[in-house]
Amino acid sequence: MLAAGILFPIIMSVYLSFTDSSMGSNAAFVGIKNYVELFGDENFKVAVLHAVILCVAYLVILNPVALAFAFLLDKIGGRTEKVLRILFFIPCVISLMVTSKMWLNVLNPTFGMLNKLLTALGLGQLKQNWLMNPDLALFSVMFIAMWQLFGWVMIVYYAGVKGIPEELYEAASIDGCSGWQRIRYIGIPHLRPVLRVNMMLSLINALKEMEIIFLTTNGGPGNRTEFIATYLYKTAFKSFRYGYANAISVVFIILCLVASVFYQKMTASNEDAS
């Protein structure tokens, strides 16, 4: 079952990446031609760059904000904590189709809520075509992706925060530690395993991002929001270059593995040093 479900498709993908397989034609072996073309493909380089930018945004914006909200929810307590916890998690259980349609409407340049709000606040000069402006489209879809993922990341941190013994905080308070010092010297060190998991999930999600991009901009305008998965899809099912698409998928898998191994080694060395 393992071979049939996982290994066989991977082996076939690797094999097809060395062919010129396309719709309605026999596949001829072309060696590393697809890979040579791929590493000179500017669209592929742009897609990889966008994945890296999204990964950085997840790591330096999404995760710190989610961690801060996890500590904040724990501090609030009571019914308000429960209500906010549910509200933050709602985007995670909404269909990506619904999420994308909602944000398409919110960011619509003609009747979108965001532009109407800017007008109401006297900031009409800031109105934009958020998803079609070449300078803003990437940041717009990145915001949507972070909005959709925020609840998952926050709830994992929240579970970790709830697992920290309250006695440690009480002892720190008796010793005169401030709220920030309790978080820095007690909270965050106890959350290292959770931090490691969330960072890894953020890395993987950034590399494989597709659905939101496909349903909002489809990589446009031009290739300003192109990601690896969307470029792979277009190459396979619009250009019908299956051999070349499989070369992209092989490199895609290698990138994910290299990034995962690098992150694991980096975090392991940091833990050893500490």
Side-chain angles (χ1 to χ4, degrees):
M1 289 299 294
L2 176 64
I6 299 177
L7 295 180
F8 180 72
I10 292 176
I11 293 171
M12 283 300 300
S13 184
V14 172
Y15 165 72
L16 289 172
S17 71
F18 292 104
T19 71
D20 63 354
S21 176
S22 60
M23 185 177 182
S25 65
N26 295 324
F29 185 79
V30 294
I32 63 171
K33 179 182 177 181
N34 288 327
Y35 292 96
V36 172
E37 179 182 350
L38 180 61
F39 287 105
D41 188 338
E42 291 301 322
N43 286 325
F44 179 72
K45 293 177 182 178
V46 167
V48 173
L49 176 62
H50 290 164
V52 172
I53 294 173
L54 181 59
C55 180
V56 172
Y58 280 165
L59 296 180
V60 304
I61 299 176
L62 176 63
N63 274 271
V65 172
L67 179 60
F69 271 89
F71 279 113
L72 181 61
L73 282 182
D74 182 55
K75 185 176 180 61
I76 290 173
R79 182 175 297 177
T80 303
E81 175 187 2
K82 296 178 181 178
V83 172
L84 290 176
R85 185 176 63 201
I86 293 172
L87 289 176
F88 285 136
F89 196 69
I90 284 176
C92 302
V93 297
I94 298 177
S95 163
L96 286 174
M97 179 70 76
V98 175
T99 295
S100 301
K101 179 62 177 176
M102 179 190 75
W103 281 105
L104 279 172
N105 290 333
V106 170
L107 299 177
N108 186 282
T110 304
F111 57 80
M113 184 184 301
L114 180 55
N115 280 349
K116 286 188 175 182
L117 178 62
L118 290 173
T119 301
L121 294 174
L123 300 172
Q125 69 275 13
L126 298 180
K127 294 194 300 183
Q128 299 287 340
N129 189 344
W130 301 97
L131 292 173
M132 288 294 107
N133 185 323
D135 297 324
L136 297 175
L138 179 62
F139 300 104
S140 298
V141 295
M142 284 171 54
F143 174 82
I144 298 172
M146 287 191 285
W147 180 87
Q148 196 276 331
L149 189 61
F150 176 82
W152 282 112
V153 178
M154 191 276 294
I155 210 70
V156 173
Y157 283 134
Y158 176 80
V161 169
K162 283 298 186 183
I164 300 173
E166 190 64 32
E167 294 80 7
L168 295 177
Y169 288 130
E170 294 174 356
S173 297
I174 294 173
D175 289 338
C177 290
S178 65
W180 165 245
Q181 288 174 325
R182 291 197 297 271
I183 292 174
R184 179 180 178 184
Y185 295 111
I186 296 175
I188 294 179
H190 277 79
L191 290 176
R192 280 182 179 173
V194 179
L195 283 163
R196 190 171 181 175
V197 168
N198 258 343
M199 295 293 186
M200 177 59 70
L201 291 176
S202 297
L203 175 63
I204 294 172
N205 273 287
L207 289 173
K208 72 180 186 65
E209 183 62 54
M210 177 181 177
E211 293 90 345
I212 289 174
I213 310 301
F214 182 76
L215 294 169
T216 53
T217 63
N218 195 25
N223 62 356
R224 293 303 181 96
T225 60
E226 196 76 89
F227 280 74
I228 302 174
T230 55
Y231 186 52
L232 169 60
Y233 175 85
K234 290 177 183 178
T235 302
F237 300 108
K238 290 190 174 181
S239 299
F240 302 110
R241 298 186 63 193
Y242 300 128
Y244 189 60
N246 276 282
I248 296 175
S249 69
V250 171
V251 174
F252 184 23
I253 292 173
I254 293 173
L255 287 174
C256 290
L257 291 175
V258 169
S260 299
V261 171
F262 174 77
Y263 177 76
Q264 292 283 0
K265 288 186 176 295
M266 184 181 67
T267 53
S269 62
N270 288 340
E271 289 178 0
D272 293 340
S274 61

